[in-house]
Structure formats: structure tokens, C-alpha cells
């Protein structure tokens, strides 16, 4: 726990400092995290981390998360077209390799590109929103996710009686999950009260609840495929926390979902 706290404070402080700076510095950090995350994903699937098909995946991540707009470069293709093209290329690998690279492996790598690439791209895009409030929205989401984690942990330890999903994550409880939701809503409401009208209390409740529920589901997703491959952590980059995907599993689920949610509200 001591190591976990030290790593969390140092890494969290560094990340928040870069987030505060924003701009190209923040976007490049998010891109680097995405590439490391995909490396961890490939390693977990027992595929060569720098094999030909994995390189195609890194290129997909690079395309999705690259700071095109900040550098004043027009995207050659929109995200919809790029995702379709990369899908075709992954499927083509199976054909060209005469099934030595089976379609199941290629589909898994493509899934990793979408899962990680869109997740981290959404993080970068939220920080650089054109309305100039990107820092507020990014900090709101991070605070909601972190408070949900803390609320779930402490509520679960104190009141947890009913297992949430024991086959996937045996330590999580229903009571802990509900505590996480309540904590995230509370923090989001505090952001609303301090926002000078930028965020209404009603929307704050919706965003806080969404961040908690989707974030916890993102955590379960990570637990599920780690259990399939029989590993405890996705990597060793962050002592006490594991890898980038272990630390950001909630983030890369929440940020794209919130982008979609804000589009309709």
C-alpha cells in the first residue's frame, strides 16, 4: 500500500501538471501512454510485441491519437474511414500470411486499436475543446473516476457484503459499487457549484453517475481479459499499480462515453 500511495502521488501529480499545461505537451503524453498501453495489450495476448501485425496496431494507435489539429495538419482520413481501413489491413494480414496469423488474433489486435486508440484520443480531445473549458471537463472526469474508485474501495471494505461479479473480480461488492457512484456524484456536484454556471447540478449528477458506472465497468473489462490470460497486471511501469492499462482502464471507457453523452444532452 505504501508503494502504491507513493507511485499514485508522484505519477498523479506529474499527470495533473501536464494536464494543467495542456496543448501539445499533454497530447504527446497521452499519445505515449496509448502506445505503451497497446504494447501491454499485445504482450497480454502472448503475441510478439513488435511483430508485423503488432506494428500495424501501433500505426493505428498513432493515427487515432496523433495531435493533427494542434500541429495544423489535416487528417488524411476521418476516424470512421481510418478504422475501416485498418480493419481491412488486419484482415488482409490473415490472407497474406495464409492463416499463419489467424483471423482471431488479427481481430483481437484490431479490437485493441479501437479500445485503446479511441479511449486515449477522447482524453486528448476533451482537454483541447474549442470552447476553452477543456481543463474543467477533463479534471471533472478524472475527479469523478478517482472519487468513484476511492468510494468503492472504502465503502466496500466497511460495508461490503454482497459480491458484485465474483467470477471476474472477487473483491468487488455491490455496496462498494454504490458507494463509488454516490462519491462520484458528490464530487461532480461540487464541480457544478464551483463552475459559475458552466455545469448545472442536474448534468453533474448525470455525468458523475455515468463516470462511476462506466468506469467500474471499464475496470471489470480489464479484470476479465487479464483473468483469461492468467496475469495479475498488464505491465510493471507503475510500481504498486501495474501498467498503463491497469491505471487507465476506467479512463479509456469513461472519456469516449462522456463524449457521446454530451453530444445528446
Amino acid at each position: 500500500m505504501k508503494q502504491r500511495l507513493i507511485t499514485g502521488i508522484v505519477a498523479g501529480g506529474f499527470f495533473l501538471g501536464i494536464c494543467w499545461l495542456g496543448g501539445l505537451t499533454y497530447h504527446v503524453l497521452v499519445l505515449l501512454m496509448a502506445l505503451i498501453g497497446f504494447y501491454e495489450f499485445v504482450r497480454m495476448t502472448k503475441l510478439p510485441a513488435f511483430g508485423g501485425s503488432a506494428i500495424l496496431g501501433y500505426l493505428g494507435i498513432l493515427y487515432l491519437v496523433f495531435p493533427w489539429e494542434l500541429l495544423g495538419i489535416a487528417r488524411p482520413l476521418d476516424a470512421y474511414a481510418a478504422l475501416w481501413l485498418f480493419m481491412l489491413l488486419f484482415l488482409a494480414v490473415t490472407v497474406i500470411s495464409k492463416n499463419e496469423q489467424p483471423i482471431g488474433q488479427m481481430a483481437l489486435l484490431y479490437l485493441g486499436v479501437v479500445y485503446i486508440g479511441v479511449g486515449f484520443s477522447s482524453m486528448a480531445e476533451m482537454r483541447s475543446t474549442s470552447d476553452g473549458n477543456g481543463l474543467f471537463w477533463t479534471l471533472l472526469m478524472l475527479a469523478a473516476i478517482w472519487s468513484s474508485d476511492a468510494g468503492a474501495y472504502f465503502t466496500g471494505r466497511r460495508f461490503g457484503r454482497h459480491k458484485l461479479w465474483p467470477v471476474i473480480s472477487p473483491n468487488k461488492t455491490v455496496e462498494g459499487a454504490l458507494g463509488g457512484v454516490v462519491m462520484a456524484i458528490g464530487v461532480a456536484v461540487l464541480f457544478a457549484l464551483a463552475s459559475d454556471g458552466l455545469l448545472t447540478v442536474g448534468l453533474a449528477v448525470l455525468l458523475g453517475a455515468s463516470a462511476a458506472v462506466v468506469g467500474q465497468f471499464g475496470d471489470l473489462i480489464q479484470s476479465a481479459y487479464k483473468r483469461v490470460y492468467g496475469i495479475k497486471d498488464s505491465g510493471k511501469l507503475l510500481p504498486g499499480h501495474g501498467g498503463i492499462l491497469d491505471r487507465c482502464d476506467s479512463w479509456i471507457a469513461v472519456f469516449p462515453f462522456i463524449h457521446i453523452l454530451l453530444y445528446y444532452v
Side-chain angles (χ1 to χ4, degrees), residues 9-259:
I9 292 171
V10 173
F14 173 77
F15 180 81
L16 287 175
I18 299 299
C19 181
W20 187 273
L21 288 175
L24 188 60
T25 304
Y26 174 74
H27 205 124
V28 169
L29 174 62
V30 172
L31 173 58
L32 180 60
M33 291 167 64
L35 291 170
I36 295 172
F38 188 74
Y39 167 81
E40 293 173 353
F41 185 87
V42 176
R43 289 289 302 272
M44 282 193 294
T45 61
K46 313 300 183 184
L47 293 172
F50 297 104
S53 52
I55 295 298
L56 181 59
Y58 293 119
L59 291 175
I61 296 291
L62 185 62
Y63 185 88
L64 290 172
V65 193
F66 191 79
W68 301 97
E69 289 77 12
L70 289 176
L71 293 175
I73 304 173
R75 288 178 181 266
L77 296 169
D78 62 26
Y80 177 84
L83 287 173
W84 184 89
L85 179 60
F86 276 101
M87 180 193 70
L88 182 66
L89 292 173
F90 274 114
L91 295 177
V93 169
T94 294
V95 176
I96 294 170
S97 69
K98 300 178 180 178
N99 282 330
E100 289 185 12
Q101 299 278 331
I103 193 170
Q105 288 183 339
M106 295 305 99
L108 191 59
L109 287 181
Y110 177 71
L111 178 64
V113 170
V114 177
Y115 169 55
I116 297 167
V118 173
F120 281 104
S121 176
S122 297
M123 287 176 55
E125 289 176 9
M126 184 170 287
R127 178 61 183 87
S128 58
T129 52
S130 59
D131 64 3
N133 296 309
L135 179 61
F136 173 84
W137 296 111
T138 302
L139 292 179
L140 167 63
M141 287 300 98
L142 291 174
I145 293 168
W146 288 338
S147 60
S148 173
D149 289 345
Y153 176 77
F154 289 109
T155 304
R157 282 179 62 90
R158 178 65 179 85
F159 301 105
R161 296 293 184 273
H162 303 88
K163 297 298 183 181
L164 177 66
W165 220 301
V167 175
I168 299 298
S169 186
N171 293 325
K172 288 183 172 56
T173 64
V174 174
E175 293 82 1
L178 293 174
V181 172
V182 171
M183 184 68 75
I185 291 174
V187 167
V189 168
L190 290 177
F191 268 77
L193 296 176
S195 71
D196 195 25
L198 178 61
L199 174 64
T200 66
V201 171
L203 181 57
V205 171
L206 177 61
L207 293 180
S210 298
V213 173
V214 176
Q216 291 182 42
F217 203 80
D219 187 287
L220 288 170
I221 291 170
Q222 174 81 348
S223 297
Y225 66 71
K226 285 193 296 186
R227 188 167 291 273
V228 168
Y229 290 104
I231 58 175
K232 182 179 183 295
D233 297 316
S234 65
K236 300 179 180 178
L237 182 64
L238 303 170
H241 291 266
I244 289 293
L245 291 183
D246 294 306
R247 183 63 272 169
C248 301
D249 51 7
S250 298
W251 305 8
I252 57 179
V254 169
F255 277 86
F257 183 85
I258 296 301
H259 267 284

